[in-house]
C-alpha cells in the first residue's frame, strides 16, 4: 500500500511539474498511438505532391502501405478493447449469475422491448444482443443500471430464430417480433415498425453468420462437435 501511495504521489508531482505541460501520464502514453494517423496523413500529403517518376515514389508507397497496416491493427485492437469493456460492464450490471466476457463475443445492440406477462399486462425488459447470443433482463428499481437476468439464449446451442410476428398472433399489439428457441419461444413488441425490423435484422444476421462460420469450420475439419447437421 505504501509503495502504491508513493507511486501515485510521484505521478501527481510529475503532472504538476512545468515540463509536463499540464498533461498526465495517460496523455503521454496515448501519444504514440495518436501519431500513427498523423504519419499516414503526412505520407499522403507527400505522395500527393510527388511525381510518380521520382526515385522516392516506390519507397513512399511502401511506407504508406506499412503505416496503413499498423493503423488498421491499432484501430482493431482499440475496438476489441472497447467491446470487451462494454461486455464486462453488462456482466457487472447483471451480477455473478452469468459469465459473458469471451474473446470471440461481440456486443451488437441493446434496448428495451415489451413482453406480455402471464397476467396479461406488458413488462418492459432490456434486451441485449451479442454476436453469438442474446439475453433479456429486468431492471432492478432503485439499483441504478443493475439488471435481473431473466433468460440467456445461445444462437446455436438453443437453435434461435427470429421473425416478424404475424398479426393474428398479436391482435392487440403491433410492431411485434417472435423469437423462437428450444428453451423458450415468445413475442416482444417494439415501439415502431422500423425498430422492430432493425431488431429482427440484427438478430437474424448474427444467427446466420454464426451458422455459416460453424459450417465452414465443420467442412474444414477445424471443429469436431456440433457438425451433425
Amino acid at each position: 500500500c505504501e509503495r502504491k501511495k508513493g507511486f501515485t504521489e510521484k505521478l501527481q508531482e510529475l503532472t504538476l511539474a512545468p515540463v509536463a505541460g499540464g498533461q498526465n501520464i495517460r496523455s503521454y502514453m496515448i501519444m504514440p498511438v495518436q501519431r500513427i494517423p498523423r504519419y499516414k496523413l503526412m505520407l499522403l500529403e507527400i505522395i500527393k505532391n510527388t511525381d510518380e517518376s521520382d526515385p522516392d515514389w516506390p519507397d513512399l508507397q511502401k511506407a504508406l502501405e506499412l503505416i496503413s497496416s499498423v493503423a488498421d491493427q491499432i484501430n482493431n485492437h482499440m475496438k476489441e478493447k472497447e467491446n470487451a469493456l462494454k461486455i464486462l460492464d453488462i456482466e457487472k450490471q447483471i451480477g455473478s449469475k452469468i459469465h459473458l466476457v469471451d474473446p470471440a463475443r461481440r456486443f451488437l445492440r441493446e434496448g428495451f422491448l415489451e413482453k406480455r406477462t402471464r397476467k396479461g399486462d406488458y413488462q418492459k425488459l432490456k434486451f441485449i444482443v451479442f454476436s453469438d447470443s442474446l439475453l433479456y433482463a429486468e431492471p432492478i428499481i432503485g439499483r441504478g443500471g443493475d439488471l435481473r437476468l431473466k433468460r440467456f439464449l445461445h444462437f446455436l446451442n438453443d437453435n434461435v430464430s427470429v421473425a416478424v410476428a404475424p398479426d393474428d398472433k398479436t391482435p392487440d399489439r403491433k410492431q411485434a417480433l417472435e423469437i423462437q428457441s428450444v428453451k423458450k419461444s415468445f413475442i416482444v413488441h417494439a415501439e415502431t415498425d422500423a425498430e422492430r425490423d432493425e431488431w429482427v435484422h440484427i438478430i437474424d444476421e448474427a444467427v446466420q453468420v454464426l451458422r455459416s462460420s460453424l459450417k465452414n469450420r465443420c467442412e474444414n475439419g477445424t471443429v469436431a462437435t456440433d457438425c451433425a447437421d
Side-chain angles (χ1 to χ4, degrees):
C1 292
E2 286 298 322
R3 289 177 62 186
K4 184 177 179 181
K5 181 180 179 182
F7 179 71
T8 303
E9 291 175 349
K10 188 63 178 180
L11 285 180
Q12 292 175 343
E13 179 185 335
L14 292 173
T15 300
L16 296 174
V19 69
Q23 299 192 67
N24 57 30
I25 190 170
R26 290 188 178 183
S27 300
Y28 283 100
M29 290 177 70
I30 198 66
M31 281 184 178
V33 176
Q34 293 174 332
R35 284 179 180 174
I36 299 299
R38 294 174 187 171
Y39 291 152
K40 183 177 180 179
L41 291 173
M42 180 187 69
L43 282 168
L44 286 170
E45 190 64 25
I46 293 174
I47 290 173
K48 180 181 177 182
N49 292 280
T50 302
D51 193 272
E52 292 186 21
S53 61
D54 191 290
D56 289 329
W57 179 265
D59 289 335
L60 287 171
Q61 291 292 335
K62 184 176 181 180
L64 178 60
E65 183 180 340
L66 289 172
I67 202 71
S68 297
S69 176
V70 172
D72 290 342
Q73 290 178 29
I74 291 174
N75 288 335
N76 290 335
H77 178 72
M78 292 179 68
K79 287 178 181 178
E80 289 174 1
K81 183 178 180 180
E82 290 172 358
N83 177 74
L85 290 174
K86 175 63 177 178
I87 295 177
L88 180 60
D89 183 58
I90 294 171
E91 186 176 292
K92 288 180 179 178
Q93 290 177 1
I94 294 175
S96 59
K97 290 188 176 181
I98 189 169
H99 179 70
L100 295 174
V101 178
D102 186 302
R105 179 170 289 148
R106 292 181 297 109
F107 166 81
L108 298 181
R109 180 186 173 94
E110 65 181 342
F112 287 94
L113 295 169
E114 291 191 340
K115 183 175 179 292
R116 191 168 187 172
T117 67
R118 294 178 180 178
K119 296 179 180 179
D121 54 353
Y122 287 88
Q123 181 183 23
K124 186 171 286 190
L125 299 170
K126 189 167 190 177
F127 279 73
I128 303 172
V129 182
F130 303 104
S131 56
D132 64 343
S133 53
L134 69 81
L135 64 82
Y136 58 94
E138 177 186 359
I140 301 176
I141 298 175
R143 292 271 297 274
D146 287 353
L147 301 168
R148 181 179 293 107
L149 180 65
K150 303 287 285 186
R151 191 169 295 275
F152 175 87
L153 298 173
H154 189 277
F155 292 151
L156 293 182
N157 298 342
D158 298 319
N159 194 23
V160 174
S161 63
V162 62
V164 174
D167 289 342
D168 59 352
K169 285 192 175 183
T170 59
D172 59 330
R173 293 285 298 272
K174 304 302 179 183
Q175 297 84 42
L177 55 145
E178 185 173 15
I179 298 174
Q180 296 184 338
S181 75
V182 295
K183 281 184 179 177
K184 184 178 179 66
S185 298
F186 52 90
I187 291 175
V188 289
H189 301 265
E191 292 187 357
T192 65
D193 289 344
E195 184 185 356
R196 174 203 60 198
D197 293 344
E198 188 174 354
W199 278 101
V200 171
H201 172 73
I202 289 174
I203 296 172
D204 184 62
E205 185 177 48
V207 170
Q208 298 308 320
V209 167
L210 201 61
R211 287 176 178 168
S212 177
S213 175
L214 177 62
K215 181 180 178 181
N216 291 337
R217 286 184 292 153
C218 288
E219 291 175 350
N220 295 332
T222 56
V223 61
T225 59
D226 301 323
C227 293
D229 297 330

